[in-house]
Amino acid sequence: MIRELVQSLPLFVLAALCAHAALKPGGMDAIQSGVPWYDQNGRIVSARGAGVIGEGGRHYLFGEFKQDHGNAFVGFACYSSPDLVNWIFESVALPPQPDGRLGPGRVGERPKVMKCPATGEFVMYMHTDDARYRDPAVGYATSPSITGPYTFRGPLLLNGAVVKKWDMSVFQDDDGSGYLITHSGNLYALADDYTSVTRQIVKDMTPGCESPAIFKRDGLYYWLGSGLTAWERNDNYYFTAASLAGPWERQGAFAPEGTLTWNSQTTFVLPVVGSETTTYMFMGDRWAHPRQNSAATYVWQPLRFDAAGKISLPTFHPGWKVNTETGRWSPAESASKIIGIRDSDRLTASENWIRHNDDAGFSDLRSNVKGASLTFAFTGSQIGLYGVARPDGGFGEVRIEDSDGRVVLTSVIETYCRYSEASLKFLSPRLTPGDYTLTVTVLGERFFWQAKRAAYGSTGDYVSVQKFLVVD
Ligand code: GAL
């Protein structure tokens, strides 16, 4: 059995997990949106379309365990954390199945887990589909323990019929009742054992509205969702209602319009309930097809509420944290110094990097020539890289080497955005203090996706370097 499981795991899962000795994963002190995250082994935290549940004083993150260069289901990953900042890889909680709805070449997305109060069982729900998204169904899997392994049970049924929906999520109300939410404004009540649907409560409330998420605060229900642009970003919006059955009132965008939800798509809202207050954490995905494993990032932000209960994300917090004891959040303080590209005598660039000043007032070095590289030498315990993302941005490789030329870490960044935006694109795990180099290399690749009769993505392969962040 174990042997079978091992054989079915993708190669990158089995690759040796021997992190370079200079890497000190686990010492991060802030939730950093828009940069790759690393687990205890220095590997990418790959949990897209995720949800989080609390259990036994820890938070558990479940999401799509992605691969680069392919959209087929390679499993749902489970990570755990004491602080919502540092994530421990626990397991591939549900691996690809030998056949059926999550079999070879199929699609599996948006896993969400709830603990059933009636049975004590953990139930995972997900979107299953064929490679062309023409056979959608909501499936479920169960496990006696939170980290799995989960057993795939097939599609969820309503009166014996398969729930043929794609984007989905779940919601557990205060009384323990469980609900399934899907795209286009559909809401269903789950049976007491959480393994079937008993009735539909809301039907086709709003056309489109993908990546749905429901949460409740002070007796008011919130329903968030995205526009229908596949993995491209758009201005997500929300509805509120005093009862799950509605009426649901449309409230509009919750991030400033034009920011495209700070370049993300909703996946979940986590109430971090503390002794003093509750922080409601918006969780979004910044997809990066076809580099969904290495270059996709998380956009997790604290939601604000006004006196009337309206939500917003008025500013982008690149680094912040939430005290899981008290429930209070605060911006992260940083002991870093910022080094611009103009004042750095520690920077060497190959040909083909051009100084660029754009209409938005940003100045950077950029290149779209595959293989062009730029190296920055630094002394410290952590390195970050800022870039300017633009509509013609592409993927770049980031490599850290120690003073003996040994590779400490390689990672992939993306500097694509449908408007010009400058922010942190890479932040290393903690390093043993010392001398290192950071090299950025243009990969000559870009975000693209063709689906639902439309094409999305970048118009170019430019990688941008704006400045560096160094922690002593
Ligand atoms: C999005 C959806 C994602 C994925 C993608 C594929 O609209 O939210 O989960 O299915 O489409 O095009």
Side-chain angles (χ1 to χ4, degrees):
M1 168 66 188
I2 288 191
R3 196 159 154 191
E4 270 169 31
L5 199 68
V6 166
Q7 278 169 352
S8 72
L9 289 178
L11 263 184
F12 66 88
V13 181
L14 299 174
L17 298 179
C18 42
H20 188 284
L23 268 191
K24 304 275 171 231
M28 306 300 271
D29 53 15
I31 297 170
Q32 296 280 353
S33 292
V35 300
W37 297 350
Y38 306 94
D39 68 11
Q40 76 275 25
N41 300 308
R43 301 176 75 81
I44 293 285
V45 174
S46 190
R48 318 295 174 190
V52 173
I53 66 166
E55 176 72 9
R58 288 178 83 75
H59 283 100
Y60 289 83
L61 171 72
F62 292 87
E64 301 160 24
F65 201 45
K66 287 296 206 194
Q67 56 180 330
D68 282 6
H69 306 300
N71 194 40
F73 176 62
V74 291
F76 294 132
C78 172
Y79 296 81
S80 77
S81 174
D83 55 13
L84 296 168
V85 173
N86 296 287
W87 292 96
I88 307 278
F89 174 76
E90 294 280 356
S91 61
V92 174
L94 183 70
Q97 303 295 295
D99 49 40
R101 289 184 185 270
L102 287 177
R106 302 268 305 181
V107 159
E109 296 181 346
R110 302 192 174 279
K112 302 287 176 299
V113 172
M114 294 194 297
K115 185 177 187 174
C116 177
T119 62
E121 204 171 38
F122 294 92
V123 188
M124 175 192 281
Y125 305 83
M126 78 291 293
H127 163 200
T128 68
D129 219 322
D130 69 15
R132 303 181 71 192
Y133 292 90
R134 298 220 171 129
D135 184 25
V138 178
Y140 75 104
T142 58
S143 170
S145 77
I146 189 159
T147 55
Y150 285 74
T151 305
F152 185 59
R153 304 278 182 201
L156 265 187
L157 303 179
L158 169 60
N159 299 327
V162 173
V163 180
K164 292 186 177 169
K165 299 288 181 190
W166 52 95
D167 278 20
M168 42 63 66
S169 189
V170 293
F171 170 70
Q172 188 174 56
D173 212 340
D174 306 329
D175 64 359
S177 310
Y179 297 87
L180 169 74
I181 322 142
T182 77
H183 65 91
S184 306
N186 291 289
L187 181 68
Y188 307 81
L190 292 169
D192 286 349
D193 69 0
Y194 278 18
T195 64
S196 66
V197 170
T198 55
R199 67 203 157 93
Q200 184 158 8
I201 295 173
V202 179
K203 193 164 170 28
D204 300 332
M205 187 263 290
T206 176
C209 196
E210 293 195 321
S211 68
I214 287 185
F215 71 94
K216 183 185 193 180
R217 176 182 177 267
D218 291 349
L220 194 62
Y221 296 91
Y222 295 76
W223 184 324
L224 283 60
S226 76
L228 240 173
T229 57
W231 277 311
E232 185 60 275
R233 303 125 192 201
N234 59 59
D235 285 326
N236 292 192
Y237 49 90
Y238 76 108
F239 304 79
T240 55
S243 149
L244 280 174
W248 288 90
E249 193 184 334
R250 188 168 176 132
Q251 303 287 356
F254 48 88
E257 289 196 37
T259 65
L260 312 179
T261 325
W262 300 113
N263 284 313
S264 75
Q265 184 187 24
T266 303
T267 182
F268 200 70
V269 175
L270 176 71
V272 185
V273 185
S275 55
E276 294 174 14
T277 188
T278 299
T279 288
Y280 294 80
M281 182 170 80
F282 165 82
M283 295 167 51
D285 290 290
R286 189 173 291 174
W287 304 102
H289 182 83
R291 290 199 170 261
Q292 300 278 48
N293 177 54
S294 60
T297 58
Y298 306 94
V299 175
W300 289 9
Q301 299 282 309
L303 279 170
R304 286 193 183 262
F305 294 82
D306 73 9
K310 299 216 185 308
I311 57 170
S312 64
L313 297 174
T315 49
F316 179 75
H317 295 280
W320 64 285
K321 56 190 168 186
V322 55
N323 183 321
T324 52
E325 297 289 320
T326 64
R328 287 200 184 281
W329 73 269
S330 54
E333 291 148 25
S334 169
S336 60
K337 57 182 178 234
I338 302 291
I339 301 172
I341 46 174
R342 283 174 195 277
D343 27 75
S344 174
D345 53 2
R346 306 182 129 221
L347 191 65
T348 46
S350 69
E351 286 174 19
N352 303 316
W353 289 87
I354 297 163
R355 187 174 295 280
H356 188 74
N357 300 301
D358 70 14
D359 295 343
F362 297 122
S363 177
D364 60 334
L365 284 175
R366 61 183 211 144
S367 175
N368 64 350
V369 178
K370 186 174 180 179
S373 69
L374 180 153
T375 298
F376 175 67
F378 68 97
T379 303
S381 64
Q382 196 174 22
I383 178 79
L385 171 74
Y386 285 83
V388 183
R390 299 190 178 90
D392 59 4
F395 298 121
E397 187 208 64
V398 168
R399 189 173 72 245
I400 299 173
E401 287 174 33
D402 67 13
S403 51
D404 296 324
R406 282 185 305 227
V407 177
V408 176
L409 180 88
T410 59
S411 207
V412 177
I413 57 159
E414 190 196 34
T415 52
Y416 163 66
C417 175
R418 286 168 63 201
Y419 53 94
S420 286
E421 166 278 322
S423 59
L424 198 61
K425 299 298 176 199
F426 168 76
L427 183 63
S428 76
R430 299 277 174 190
L431 308 167
T432 305
D435 295 330
Y436 300 93
T437 58
L438 175 85
T439 300
V440 182
T441 305
V442 177
L443 287 173
E445 296 171 24
R446 69 188 72 167
F447 166 75
F448 73 90
W449 177 249
Q450 188 127 24
K452 297 163 190 162
R453 291 183 293 280
Y456 302 99
S458 176
T459 59
D461 297 335
Y462 280 96
V463 173
S464 157
V465 174
Q466 189 202 26
K467 54 192 181 184
F468 301 95
L469 173 158
V470 178
V471 179
D472 284 339

